[in-house]
Amino acid sequence: MRAWIYVARKVLHAVLTLAFVLVFNFFLFRVMPSDPVKLLTRTSSAELSEAQQRELLHDYGLDEPIFPGQFLDYVGDVLRGDLGISFLFPGESVMEIFLRNLWPTVLLVGLSTLFSTLIGIGTGIWSGWRRQSAFDLASTGVSLFLYAMPEFWLGMMLLIVFATTLGWFPTGGRISTVTGLSGVEHLVDVVNHLFLPCLTLTLAYVGEYHLIMRSSLLDVLGEDYVTTARAKGLREKVVLRRHAVRNALLPTITLIALNFGFVLGGAITVELVFSYQGLGLLTYEALTAKDYPLLQGLFLFFSAGVIVANLIADLLYGYLDPRVREA
Amino acid sequence: MRVAPTQAERPGPPGEAPSSPRSARAVAWARRRRALARFWAAYRRSAMGMAGLAMLCFFVGLAIFATFANDTGTNPALASGPVLHPPSLRYPFGTDRFGLSVLTLTIHGSKISLLVGLSATAITVVIGAVVGIVAGYRGGLVDVLLMRLTDFGLVIPWLALAIVLASILGPSLGTIIVVIGLTSWPGTARLVRAQTLSVKERPYVERARALGASPWHLVTRHILPNVFPVIFANTVLVVAVAILSETTLSFLGLGDPFSISWGSILESAFAAGAATIGAWWWLLAPGLAIVLVVLGFTMCGFALDEILNPRLRQR
Amino acid sequence: MGGTMAMRILRRGAAAVLGGLLAVGLVGTAAAQTPSPTSARKVTFVVGLTNDVRTFNPLKAIETPEYETLAVTYDTLLRWAPDDMSPMPGLATDWTRSSDGLTWTFTIRDDATWSDGEPLTAHDIAFTYRFIVDKGFSSLSNYLPFTDSFEAPDDTTLIWRTTKPTTAPLAPPWIYILPEHIWGGMTKKEAKQFENFPNTVGSGPFRLVEWKKGDFWRLEARDDYWGGAPHIDELIFRVFANDEAMVNALKAGEIDFAEAIPTDLFAALQGEPNIATHVGGAASFTQMSFNMCGDQAYCQKNPPNRHPAVTDRAVRLAIAHAIDKQALVDRVLRGFGTPGTTVIPPVYPWHYDPAPDELIDFDLDEANRILDEAGYRDTDGDGVREMPGGGRPLEFRFFVRTEDANSVSAGKLIAGWLEQIGIEVRPEAITDGKLIDQWYANDYDLYIWGWGVEPDPDFQLSTYTSDQCGVWSDTCYNNPEYDRLYLEQKTAPTREERMAIVHEMQRIIYRDIPEIVLYYDNDLQAYRKDRWTGFVEQPSDQGYLLFQFGNWSYLNVRPVSEAAGAARPRGIPPSVWGAIVVGIVIVIGAVALARRRVSEEERA
């Protein structure tokens, strides 16, 4: 029963945060200086009369007062899934463009997060347990190095070595041809293009997770109850498994979830470097084109992503730490 | 924390007659100097810390040198070298698409990269420390509100927010500094607040409050000095992140394309298709510089954290 | 308990992931070995670009991809000859002009058909022109000046009557003929909102069949095209997020033709096996514009925010002397361009080459002398000149475009030169959208932008007339003499007389310097020469292979041999997959060994 209360509390907290993001998102974009009507006017034709300009303003809902008119419209629209019409892809709704580019990014970020957390946590535990061993020194050194690297720089170097020079992988894009690839071939094509970006994102964060996990484990190993357990004569491995790791995982999970915002940022630059068509590259295009509706929708989505990641981490935390559940 | 010995109790150096009574301020300064010496001795023992410090000294030196050095080597109009040439004796890190030496560009790029990193860090730490101390000290509703704000700041994905802000403010170095500052302070705030809370509980603080000390006195004389080590360690780590952030933002074209920073060099390289052409040298020098500088700050920060963080000292 | 759980999760997760990788690896290796079946002997030609199409409505076309698609799906009254872009028969096979010059009679071919089977007749042409003029599509009606009437007394005759004599019908008008049976009866609003897709009906050699926004659009060849059936079955235009992706796709064989390749990428492509690089035509120019707002109505409503020195021709002349255009071509364009002079590029016969005594050359000393004489001196010794009498320093706001890397590079170089004549400019890179804002508000001193120029100079010349201020004029240049000449060339009775007027107009602009033409940049194109041949270059000297005025190449291009078929994606060589599999096995082995050692420890 208490578990459900915990879950409910966390979910409610996530929803509230999302609501704040919505409000923040709305007001943030009202500060924009560039007038979308002029942008549209110039590109479509230089012949819009005052009346036509007013009509355009009305179509985009820009002629109402900001509060409450535009704000309530905005909230209503978002709840209905209408995130506006893009400037960059005229006539297309933000939601459409969004959904088109969603799965490649989910695939990229999902897989790389999976790999980097599993590997990082694994090596971090090993490193912390065998402190000052050769493995520890090597892996921590490598982790520091990877942590210090801009992920897009890593991506570009990998691209030069493995794609441009060796030719093992395509030098960019999400898929090769637009027509004519069936089932298995299509899968292989996707994997071919996904490999380097995924490797880049994995390497970019695995170092950090290693360091976090290692540090967390070391903190725990220095705690009183661990000394107690050792004094009780429990075997090292049992000590590690039963107490240390579980407790060390808790703050690690929290920190990894908090880092998710950076992972999404990394996705933006890595997708750019590899011309991998997903939400990240879309964000860059929206930025250069100053497509505010699209930027607004993407911002909302990325924030929601981090909130969900934190929610998952909170729930995982609750599952792993009985103290929390019974609190 | 032991109560500091009074002047009468302090033993003088062997063989010396006991010195005449000194002012409270002199006592405090002497105490600080000794603490600093102790700190430095501990720091020197950390291999990671010393290595990091060495790297930082090198790059700061480089930046200072670059400030006074002639920058004609970065002017495309005066470029005389071969275009996109791989590393050679004359051009150890090759040339860019104008024929400028990448090494020269990287050296001059250190100025802006470090400057922006440090400025952004200043904003981050000031806001973070103020928020953290106020929240930790005042408690209650103020604390709750500030923490809600901080949590909110932590949840927002920084690059998305940075992009949005930069698209509104327009691309410039000022924008980058402000944007990094505004998106990074929550981490510092959380840390500072936690430390403030723990310091607040300490006996001498309670005693001071019972004696009727004003909040200002409490904060500046007691809380701040004890929170300062944590802030300091955190600041060093924040600089590392700020430099990485500047690199990313410049790479995305949100900085000033007419000033040279490591991020802008990478941006020019990417825009010219360096990865496709295979001009790896154009990417190498600025990338290495970033990695080494960030490593330097990170290693220093970790070393500082170990020394200044009491929990770790137990091991 | 939790720790064990965690370890178990970690281990299971890792195993699942590794297993998945293994599976994909094995499958991939297998797939890489088997050749992909060629799809039913269809010959497909894929063109890569970085600019996406926004609409297939001919009345709303603005950008290159739209025009190129129209060129293959519709027809014009006359066509532009491939060798010199002179007018040649298109839908019209023959024409005569009345003695008073006011009536043109065109004979329209009888074998043109629409893609839905209906025949194309003179009625469609008359309808299209009338529609444009009556409904007021101003950007297009510019090609139909002094209109009196358009008539089609029968299916194969078009009569075009004008109120003043004009050679506009022979320009030819860049208007694609619309089917009356689709567009007839629409209001202007309906016509503007008409999607024209799917079920696009056109008379051109290709028919639009598929459109995936942001990705590609696909056309199929029409065997019944009056100009002859194309040698390809399918034409695909594929959009890329950036130029690198496009060039990589060309190298990988995923596309057959790449358009508008940036300088550095192009330079690196030269010498690639299987790829032919083409330094294309330079029918465009990049210019640096000054804020010339005068007393036009638009300038009254939007008072210019600019440095007063910009209005002084002496200053502009000095600046013109301080720009080394050849250096710009060498350094910014890596040689793929020509130094600029007048606003009609040399690739067109209408171009005017300034006489040697008119030429404004790169001469810093001369620039300094002009400024000194005009009274702009550096009174406070800070290296920057001030207004005469020691007032405001000569510091100009200079905008370059983030979308154009060349303009950023050019900006850096120009700032360097101007510094040497005592003028300080700080280039600021802004987006096109922001630049448009500044331009609308007349809030700038200098900026860099560019134009693609049409074969007929009328439109380009019109942008310098005073009534185009706030519409198409880059600078709000205001010269009544120029305006007068513009109207004159529109009604010039013969081509020679028109040529003389057009030359004079270019000379005026070159002399008055409302803007400085920096360079004519070549359009850099490349294609897979191991697969394709038959491109028709237009014009024949330093012309364009695709993205021309017409569809000559699309009609002519064909595979080099029978074997050249559809593109196949590159894959990871089996050796690499093998290495990955071996690596995974090693990792699994290591983990298993480590666990065994640990449990031994445990038992000890």
Side-chain angles (χ1 to χ4, degrees):
Chain A
M1 182 55 201
R2 286 207 180 83
W4 292 116
I5 296 180
Y6 176 79
V7 170
R9 253 197 16 230
K10 289 299 169 186
V11 171
L12 186 64
H13 179 78
V15 169
L16 273 175
T17 314
L18 198 55
F20 275 124
V21 168
L22 208 65
V23 173
F24 179 71
N25 199 12
F26 173 79
F27 283 105
L28 188 62
F29 280 93
R30 295 304 133 169
V31 186
M32 60 183 178
S34 185
D35 187 354
V37 178
K38 288 222 180 97
L39 190 71
L40 295 167
T41 312
R42 166 73 155 179
T43 44
S44 54
S45 99
E47 62 185 29
L48 282 190
S49 66
E50 286 284 331
Q52 287 162 321
Q53 288 197 28
R54 259 181 281 126
E55 195 183 311
L56 253 178
L57 273 172
H58 184 73
D59 283 341
Y60 277 82
L62 295 165
D63 57 348
E64 295 199 34
I66 292 203
F67 194 83
Q70 289 193 38
F71 179 63
L72 288 179
D73 282 344
Y74 176 70
V75 174
D77 286 339
V78 170
L79 290 177
R80 253 178 296 135
D82 174 11
L83 292 167
I85 313 270
S86 159
F87 296 161
L88 184 58
F89 304 96
E92 277 200 87
S93 79
V94 170
M95 199 48 136
E96 263 176 53
I97 302 167
F98 200 70
L99 290 174
R100 231 186 13 228
N101 288 285
L102 182 60
W103 73 261
T105 301
V106 166
L107 201 60
L108 175 64
V109 170
L111 279 179
S112 62
T113 304
L114 186 67
F115 291 148
S116 57
T117 44
L118 285 180
I119 298 176
I121 288 179
T123 58
I125 291 175
W126 197 281
S127 219
W129 189 27
R130 303 268 195 218
R131 192 169 168 228
Q132 305 294 2
S133 68
F135 178 81
D136 178 29
L137 291 174
S139 62
T140 304
V142 168
S143 294
L144 274 173
F145 212 76
L146 286 175
Y147 171 74
M149 237 183 253
E151 69 283 338
F152 56 89
W153 182 75
L154 177 62
M156 285 200 276
M157 297 309 262
L158 286 176
L159 207 160
I160 289 183
V161 171
F162 292 107
T164 308
T165 313
L166 289 172
W168 288 359
F169 296 97
T171 42
R174 177 165 40 97
I175 48 174
S176 297
T177 56
V178 292
T179 53
L181 276 189
S182 60
V184 164
E185 278 188 342
H186 182 67
L187 176 67
V188 173
D189 189 36
V190 168
V191 169
N192 253 335
H193 285 89
L194 186 57
F195 193 88
L196 283 182
C198 192
L199 180 65
T200 306
L201 267 185
T202 305
L203 287 176
Y205 299 105
V206 74
E208 197 168 340
Y209 299 158
H210 167 96
L211 292 169
I212 291 175
M213 184 70 224
R214 178 183 179 276
S215 157
S216 184
L217 187 63
L218 286 177
D219 282 348
V220 160
L221 285 176
E223 292 284 326
D224 291 339
Y225 64 87
V226 173
T227 321
T228 312
R230 285 206 179 107
K232 279 200 321 202
L234 288 177
R235 287 187 301 248
E236 194 66 23
K237 184 107 188 282
V238 176
V239 165
L240 182 70
R241 279 221 200 126
R242 191 170 295 186
H243 298 281
V245 169
R246 191 220 314 171
N247 288 294
L249 265 181
L250 300 176
T252 305
I253 288 174
T254 312
L255 284 170
I256 290 181
L258 279 177
N259 194 53
F260 195 62
F262 286 92
V263 176
L264 289 179
I268 294 178
T269 51
V270 166
E271 281 189 18
L272 174 61
V273 165
F274 289 97
S275 310
Y276 181 85
Q277 255 149 316
L279 293 178
L281 186 54
L282 189 65
T283 308
Y284 179 74
E285 291 175 344
L287 164 69
T288 45
K290 292 225 179 172
D291 185 349
Y292 291 114
L294 197 51
L295 276 177
Q296 199 171 16
L298 285 164
F299 182 75
L300 193 59
F301 174 76
F302 283 131
S303 304
V306 179
I307 292 173
V308 165
N310 278 299
L311 180 61
I312 292 176
D314 281 341
L315 295 178
L316 213 62
Y317 196 106
Y319 173 71
L320 288 173
D321 186 358
R323 289 178 299 174
V324 173
R325 274 183 271 150
E326 283 145 29
Chain B
M1 168 127 173
R2 267 179 277 116
V3 174
T6 60
Q7 185 225 322
E9 288 175 307
R10 193 167 15 120
E16 236 183 71
S19 41
S20 47
R22 289 188 274 169
S23 70
R25 178 166 300 162
V27 168
W29 276 112
R31 197 188 328 142
R32 283 190 193 121
R33 246 178 298 140
R34 271 206 308 280
L36 202 64
R38 264 200 310 272
F39 164 79
W40 177 242
Y43 189 87
R44 269 191 20 214
R45 277 196 300 261
S46 162
M48 180 155 59
M50 290 309 286
L53 193 59
M55 282 195 258
L56 286 186
C57 286
F58 174 71
F59 279 101
V60 169
L62 203 67
I64 294 176
F65 163 72
T67 314
F68 296 106
N70 189 327
D71 67 352
T72 52
T74 63
N75 188 347
L78 303 171
S80 56
V83 165
L84 286 176
H85 195 272
S88 62
L89 267 177
R90 180 143 154 66
Y91 300 102
F93 282 95
T95 61
D96 72 350
R97 54 110 45 216
F98 285 117
L100 295 170
S101 162
V102 176
L103 179 61
T104 310
L105 288 171
T106 306
I107 291 175
H108 283 277
S110 62
K111 289 182 286 190
I112 302 280
S113 292
L114 286 173
L115 188 69
V116 170
L118 291 170
S119 314
T121 303
I123 297 179
T124 302
V125 169
V126 164
I127 300 180
V130 165
V131 168
I133 290 179
V134 168
Y137 180 74
R138 297 284 269 118
L141 186 62
V142 169
D143 183 20
V144 168
L145 283 178
L146 283 176
M147 277 305 105
R148 278 283 151 267
L149 186 65
T150 308
D151 283 342
F152 183 70
L154 280 173
V155 157
I156 303 270
W158 89 274
L159 190 56
L161 179 61
I163 286 178
V164 167
L165 286 176
S167 75
I168 294 173
L169 298 171
S172 80
L173 289 180
T175 302
I176 291 189
I177 293 175
V178 164
V179 158
I180 296 176
L182 288 182
T183 53
S184 312
W185 66 262
T188 304
R190 272 254 288 244
L191 208 62
V192 169
R193 173 181 173 275
Q195 185 69 359
T196 306
L197 283 176
S198 108
V199 168
K200 207 170 72 166
E201 306 305 319
R202 291 190 190 157
Y204 64 89
V205 174
E206 284 191 16
R207 230 176 289 157
R209 209 181 320 171
L211 285 175
S214 73
W216 179 254
H217 175 96
L218 278 171
V219 168
T220 50
R221 288 292 166 82
H222 294 283
I223 296 185
L224 204 51
N226 287 294
V227 171
F228 180 73
V230 164
I231 296 182
F232 184 56
N234 177 256
T235 301
V236 174
L237 289 171
V238 168
V239 178
V241 174
I243 292 180
L244 275 177
S245 306
E246 182 273 325
T247 309
T248 306
L249 292 177
S250 291
F251 179 72
L252 290 176
L254 299 175
D256 180 11
F258 296 102
S259 66
I260 302 180
S261 72
W262 294 326
S264 78
I265 298 174
L266 290 177
E267 196 262 328
S268 307
F270 180 66
T276 314
I277 300 177
W280 53 269
W281 56 90
W282 194 355
L283 300 169
L284 190 65
L288 270 185
I290 297 167
V291 169
L292 291 175
V293 165
V294 171
L295 255 183
F297 278 108
T298 307
M299 287 177 7
C300 283
F302 281 179
L304 284 173
D305 203 37
E306 267 194 38
I307 296 173
L308 299 171
N309 185 333
R311 266 173 66 212
L312 287 170
R313 246 194 262 136
Q314 275 177 13
R315 260 181 280 119
Chain C
M1 214 289 268
T4 329
M5 201 57 162
M7 290 297 270
R8 215 180 295 155
I9 293 175
L10 280 172
R11 245 180 307 146
R12 293 238 178 93
V17 157
L18 291 176
L21 272 179
L22 200 59
V24 174
L26 288 173
V27 166
T29 316
Q33 308 283 26
T34 57
S36 63
T38 43
S39 39
R41 316 298 311 145
K42 220 176 1 165
V43 177
T44 307
F45 186 71
V46 184
V47 177
L49 2 106
T50 53
N51 206 351
D52 195 10
V53 74
R54 289 159 188 240
T55 175
F56 292 115
N57 182 334
L59 300 171
K60 288 173 62 181
I62 306 229
E63 307 263 329
T64 320
E66 286 135 36
Y67 286 125
E68 192 71 350
T69 311
L70 291 174
V72 295
T73 48
Y74 286 88
D75 288 307
T76 50
L77 182 68
L78 301 177
R79 293 183 290 183
W80 295 265
D83 52 352
D84 64 354
M85 306 179 77
S86 56
M88 69 176 261
L91 288 176
T93 53
D94 203 0
W95 54 90
T96 58
R97 190 180 187 182
S98 66
S99 46
D100 65 357
L102 298 176
T103 306
W104 294 79
T105 308
F106 292 90
T107 310
I108 308 300
R109 61 189 330 125
D110 58 1
D111 57 349
T113 53
W114 294 106
S115 51
D116 61 358
E118 294 291 320
L120 188 155
T121 67
H123 296 284
D124 292 304
I125 305 178
F127 157 75
T128 305
Y129 290 167
R130 230 184 283 124
F131 191 74
I132 285 170
V133 172
D134 289 346
K135 305 287 190 244
F137 288 95
S138 56
S139 51
L140 292 174
S141 56
N142 210 32
Y143 298 110
L144 311 168
F146 314 121
T147 301
D148 185 15
S149 69
F150 299 102
E151 277 163 31
D154 56 59
D155 282 355
T156 57
T157 313
L158 173 74
I159 301 184
W160 180 339
R161 290 204 180 81
T162 59
T163 55
K164 293 203 190 124
T166 171
T167 50
L170 285 193
W174 194 8
I175 297 175
Y176 293 101
I177 306 303
L178 305 172
E180 185 173 12
H181 61 281
I182 305 281
W183 296 76
M186 282 195 206
T187 62
K188 180 175 185 182
K189 184 164 176 189
E190 284 168 345
K192 285 183 84 164
Q193 288 178 345
F194 186 46
E195 280 257 12
N196 206 24
F197 181 85
N199 306 318
T200 320
V201 175
S203 59
F206 290 88
R207 174 185 51 230
L208 202 54
V209 292
E210 192 183 346
W211 182 20
K212 229 172 131 214
K213 289 190 204 185
D215 231 337
F216 71 93
W217 58 105
R218 189 165 64 88
L219 304 96
E220 276 172 10
R222 293 181 61 213
D223 292 331
D224 55 345
Y225 182 60
W226 59 265
H231 300 273
I232 55 182
D233 302 308
E234 204 177 52
L235 171 63
I236 297 180
F237 289 96
R238 198 169 152 204
V239 180
F240 290 88
N242 56 47
D243 297 299
E244 279 207 51
M246 178 181 71
V247 170
N248 289 329
L250 182 71
K251 291 207 284 199
E254 295 166 17
I255 60 173
D256 302 300
F257 189 97
E259 161 67 8
I261 303 172
T263 317
D264 294 305
L265 290 176
F266 184 80
L269 265 182
Q270 293 179 316
E272 277 273 331
N274 301 323
I275 294 186
T277 54
H278 178 81
V279 178
S284 48
F285 65 81
T286 298
Q287 94 274 2
M288 189 168 86
S289 299
F290 294 93
N291 190 336
M292 301 289 295
C293 228
D295 54 7
Q296 301 101 310
Y298 188 86
C299 296
Q300 311 281 7
K301 250 186 17 181
N302 302 282
N305 177 14
R306 56 147 178 242
H307 195 292
V310 162
T311 55
D312 184 347
R313 181 177 174 270
V315 172
R316 300 198 302 272
L317 182 61
I319 292 178
H321 273 295
I323 296 180
D324 186 352
K325 296 176 184 175
Q326 186 60 53
L328 284 178
V329 168
D330 293 334
R331 299 200 162 280
V332 174
L333 301 181
R334 299 271 291 272
F336 300 119
T338 359
T341 51
T342 52
V343 298
I344 303 296
V347 72
Y348 293 132
W350 303 95
H351 167 75
Y352 173 72
D353 240 341
D357 59 344
E358 295 175 312
L359 203 59
I360 303 174
D361 56 351
F362 176 57
D363 190 340
L364 288 173
D365 295 328
E366 175 70 8
N368 275 313
R369 190 192 64 76
I370 293 173
L371 286 174
D372 286 337
E373 260 185 34
Y376 297 92
R377 295 184 188 267
D378 178 18
T379 47
D380 56 6
D382 63 348
V384 179
R385 297 171 184 269
E386 286 90 31
M387 295 290 284
R392 194 167 151 183
L394 295 189
E395 285 167 3
F396 299 148
R397 278 168 315 143
F398 180 23
F399 295 120
V400 298
R401 304 163 50 219
T402 48
E403 277 89 343
D404 180 12
N406 287 344
S407 77
V408 175
S409 307
K412 292 182 190 172
L413 292 166
I414 292 176
W417 290 314
L418 292 186
E419 198 188 348
Q420 297 183 48
I421 63 169
I423 295 181
E424 175 157 327
V425 289
R426 243 212 120 239
E428 208 186 303
I430 58 179
T431 57
D432 281 357
K434 185 110 201 299
L435 182 55
I436 289 172
D437 284 346
Q438 303 285 136
W439 172 85
Y440 261 122
N442 274 323
D443 184 11
Y444 62 91
D445 293 317
L446 313 165
Y447 68 84
I448 292 185
W449 212 323
W451 283 96
V453 180
E454 302 170 22
D456 189 275
D458 183 83
F459 175 76
Q460 196 62 38
L461 294 172
S462 76
T463 66
Y464 301 100
T465 57
S466 48
D467 62 358
Q468 285 296 306
C469 182
V471 185
W472 285 117
S473 174
D474 272 338
T475 60
C476 278
Y477 177 59
N478 186 6
N479 184 341
E481 165 76 7
Y482 181 88
D483 292 349
R484 192 184 60 76
L485 285 175
Y486 174 70
L487 289 175
E488 241 187 68
Q489 64 84 28
K490 256 177 136 60
T491 57
T494 65
R495 188 180 159 100
E496 291 71 32
E497 288 173 74
R498 189 175 175 218
M499 182 77 77
I501 302 172
V502 166
H503 280 183
E504 179 60 24
M505 292 172 75
Q506 291 176 61
R507 189 190 287 123
I508 290 178
I509 297 194
Y510 188 73
R511 194 193 57 216
D512 269 356
I513 318 176
E515 58 188 32
I516 300 172
V517 177
L518 298 173
Y519 45 73
Y520 309 109
D521 31 346
N522 289 108
D523 184 12
L524 305 171
Q525 307 175 319
Y527 65 91
R528 301 284 315 202
K529 66 180 181 203
D530 57 335
R531 295 216 200 115
W532 302 97
T533 179
F535 290 95
V536 177
E537 194 174 344
Q538 183 201 50
S540 52
D541 176 40
Q542 273 241 321
Y544 298 85
L545 297 181
L546 289 185
F547 296 87
Q548 318 161 317
F549 282 89
N551 48 34
W552 304 108
S553 286
Y554 294 108
L555 285 177
N556 236 336
V557 75
R558 64 182 74 82
V560 164
S561 65
E562 281 285 305
R568 250 193 79 217
R570 257 192 323 191
I572 305 182
S575 54
V576 179
W577 272 121
I580 294 178
V581 169
V582 166
I584 291 173
V585 167
I586 290 179
V587 166
I588 294 178
V591 169
L593 276 172
R595 278 180 46 215
R596 200 164 306 144
R597 208 177 339 118
V598 165
S599 51
E600 276 170 20
E601 242 185 61
E602 240 175 73
R603 266 179 256 123

